Amino acid sequence: MIDRVVLVGFMCAGKSTVGRILADRLGWEFLDFDELIERGQGRTIADIFREHGEQRFRALEAELTEDVVGRRGVVLAPGGGWITQAGLVQRLREGSLFVWLRVTAERVLERHRRQANVERPLLAVEEPLDEIRSILSAREPFYRTADVVVETDGRDPSDVANEVVATLPRRQDAARDEGRPLTSS
C-alpha cells in the first residue's frame, strides 16, 4: 500500500509545482523540504549554504526525513541532492512510491533563468550549464533508483501530476498480485 509519494529529481524539475497539484488530487498533504527548512531556520537555502555550507543543509534534510518517516498520506518534495545522502531513501522506502521527475540540463537552465527571484547556490558559477550537466550526471544513478520515471520537459505540471496519479493503482495492483511491497524491485 502506498502511504506517500516522494518526488525526486534535479532542481527545477518541477517537484514543488507538481507536488502541490498531486497532493491536491490525492487529497493528501504536501511537504516541500526546502520550504520547511527555510521556515524552520528563518533563512533562505542560499543563506544556509553561504553561512553554514552545503553539509549543514544536507544535515537539515536528513533531520527532516526522520521527522516524516511515520507520515502517511503525504507527497514529499525533497531537494535535488537529498537522494544522494546515504540511508535517506531506505528510511522512506517502505510504503513509498519514488517518482523521478526527469528534466534535461537545458530545461533546468531555462527554468532557473525564469525564476530570477530564486537564488540557487549550486548554479552561482561562471558556466551554469556545464555545472548542471556535471551535477546531473553525478546524481543520475541515484535518480534511476526511483520506482517510476516521468519526463517533465515541455509538459504542463498538471499533466505530469496526472501521469503520476495514473501509475498509483497499477503499481498497487502489481505489488498486491505479486505478494510484495509496492516499492521493492
Side-chain angles (χ1 to χ4, degrees), residues 1-3 167-177 182:
M1 184 66 174
I2 302 261
D3 295 318
T167 68
L168 288 170
R170 289 194 313 258
R171 300 287 298 176
Q172 288 178 321
D173 291 344
R176 186 179 53 253
D177 292 347
L182 172 67

Side-chain angles (χ1 to χ4, degrees), residues 20 27 41 51 54 58 77 86 90 92 101-102 106 126-127 130 132 137 139-140 154 158 160 162 173 183-184:
R20 281 183 182 82
Q41 296 298 303
E51 295 168 20
E54 183 176 358
R58 298 298 173 203
Q90 291 73 22
L92 294 178
L101 299 183
R102 188 162 47 190
E106 293 75 17
E126 196 167 309
E127 297 292 334
D130 290 343
I132 292 165
S137 175
R139 290 180 182 173
E140 190 167 312
S158 186
V160 173
N162 286 342
D173 291 344
T183 57
S184 64

